[in-house]
Amino acid sequence: PVTLQILNAQGELVAQFKSTDPVPPLDPRYPDPTLWARPPRVLSAAAGDHRFLWDMRYPNVPGMATGPDENAAIPHDTPTVPSGPYVTPGVYTVRLLAGGQTQSRPLTIVMDPRVKTAKASLQQQFNVSYALYQQMLQATQALHQITVLRDQLDAPGSPVARQAAQALEASLNKIAGPAEDEDRPRFGPPGAPNLSTIRTQMARLEYSIQNADQAPTAAQTAAAAQLAKPLPGLLDEWNQVKATQLKAINDQLRKENQPQLSLNTNLIDHGVEDQIEYGDDD
């Protein structure tokens, strides 16, 4: 196995690629002829010289499927809309781990010389984008756990008592939003924020901020701060549900010698996760 890592100047991991990473299939909802799609980039473990292209971004947020990026449309090489921000110009380290050995080399990322944006503005752009990115990761972790939990509650022959399952599902709907797309209103006044709506709005805002090499506008910065406000409360609610309702159900299942509800997100079906739309009409 071969591992390729990118670290920033502080030694923090920015991106990691492994030759053992599963090759992701093309999303079956891909809206355009597949000839436009960029094939997945796989790190080779074969002997010899290889070229691996890194897009200088943080990894996409897991579970946030997006459509093709029309701004970068190239036949057979169109990327999906990214959900990870660009890194800032500076000195990075490339680390290669293979055959029990580790090799490191410096990597310098420079700005396109045609772009005259001040370094401070680029740093401000990164700071706001990266904060949104970290918040999306937090929301996604909770959403994945809730998805796994819902799958077990909805499974045929679930041993969970109906009343307890309904009460738990009501809490999950409040925190994460309805499970089914048809239950999500598309028109009318917005409801109370939930993890799904917040994450989608953050993704759109982060994409908008990253669309140009310039500092975010005052309106974008204010919107980012506003979107972040309900997130800690919703995550606290989820932690409370795990500590009370979920614990009570599992205690009862244990007494009945029944399998307990798990939050193992490895069980999630990544083929049916949220499709994040970036268009104005969605």
Side-chain angles (χ1 to χ4, degrees), residues 129-179:
S129 299
Y130 186 72
L132 288 167
Y133 175 69
Q134 289 296 324
Q135 290 154 2
M136 285 189 283
L137 289 174
Q138 290 179 309
T140 296
Q141 183 180 31
L143 285 168
H144 281 188
Q145 292 178 342
I146 290 171
T147 297
V148 169
L149 186 56
R150 278 172 165 163
D151 288 346
Q152 294 168 90
L153 291 174
D154 295 339
S158 171
V160 181
R162 181 177 180 182
Q163 185 175 0
Q166 289 178 336
L168 179 55
E169 185 61 45
S171 297
L172 300 183
N173 286 346
K174 179 176 180 293
I175 296 168

Side-chain angles (χ1 to χ4, degrees), residues 136-253:
M136 285 189 283
L137 289 174
Q138 290 179 309
T140 296
Q141 183 180 31
L143 285 168
H144 281 188
Q145 292 178 342
I146 290 171
T147 297
V148 169
L149 186 56
R150 278 172 165 163
D151 288 346
Q152 294 168 90
L153 291 174
D154 295 339
S158 171
V160 181
R162 181 177 180 182
Q163 185 175 0
Q166 289 178 336
L168 179 55
E169 185 61 45
S171 297
L172 300 183
N173 286 346
K174 179 176 180 293
I175 296 168
E180 302 296 334
D181 287 340
E182 55 264 27
D183 294 334
R184 300 177 185 177
R186 296 177 63 87
F187 304 101
N194 59 63
L195 292 178
S196 295
T197 57
I198 288 174
R199 188 179 68 158
T200 299
Q201 291 166 352
M202 284 181 168
R204 291 173 175 168
L205 178 59
E206 191 255 358
Y207 177 72
S208 173
I209 292 173
Q210 285 284 302
N211 243 351
D213 297 314
Q214 61 186 22
T217 65
Q220 288 174 325
T221 302
Q226 186 66 28
L227 285 174
K229 285 182 179 180
L231 181 60
L234 289 168
L235 294 176
D236 286 344
E237 285 186 55
W238 171 228
N239 288 329
Q240 186 66 20
V241 166
K242 288 188 287 185
T244 55
Q245 288 178 272
L246 179 57
K247 182 179 182 300
I249 290 173
N250 276 338
D251 287 345
Q252 184 62 36
L253 292 175

Side-chain angles (χ1 to χ4, degrees), residues 18-60:
K18 296 183 178 181
S19 60
T20 54
D21 288 340
V23 180
L26 183 66
D27 192 316
R29 298 163 295 189
Y30 197 82
D32 296 321
T34 56
L35 69 89
W36 289 95
R38 169 181 289 174
R41 290 170 174 168
V42 180
L43 190 69
S44 175
D49 294 335
H50 299 277
R51 172 180 290 176
F52 186 82
L53 297 180
W54 174 48
D55 59 5
M56 295 180 290
R57 288 183 178 273
Y58 279 78
N60 279 339

Side-chain angles (χ1 to χ4, degrees), residues 57-142:
R57 288 183 178 273
Y58 279 78
N60 279 339
V61 177
M64 294 182 65
T66 62
D69 190 348
E70 63 182 17
N71 294 326
I74 301 173
H76 307 290
D77 196 30
T78 302
T80 56
V81 175
S83 55
Y86 277 117
V87 299
T88 54
V91 178
Y92 295 79
T93 298
V94 180
R95 179 188 292 165
L96 183 68
L97 300 89
Q101 300 183 35
T102 300
Q103 299 184 38
S104 298
R105 296 289 187 274
L107 169 68
T108 301
I109 295 179
V110 299
M111 197 64 204
D112 185 328
R114 297 169 296 180
V115 177
K116 306 304 180 184
T117 305
K119 183 178 180 180
S121 296
L122 293 175
Q123 187 64 48
Q124 184 183 358
Q125 179 192 41
F126 174 79
N127 291 345
V128 176
S129 299
Y130 186 72
L132 288 167
Y133 175 69
Q134 289 296 324
Q135 290 154 2
M136 285 189 283
L137 289 174
Q138 290 179 309
T140 296
Q141 183 180 31

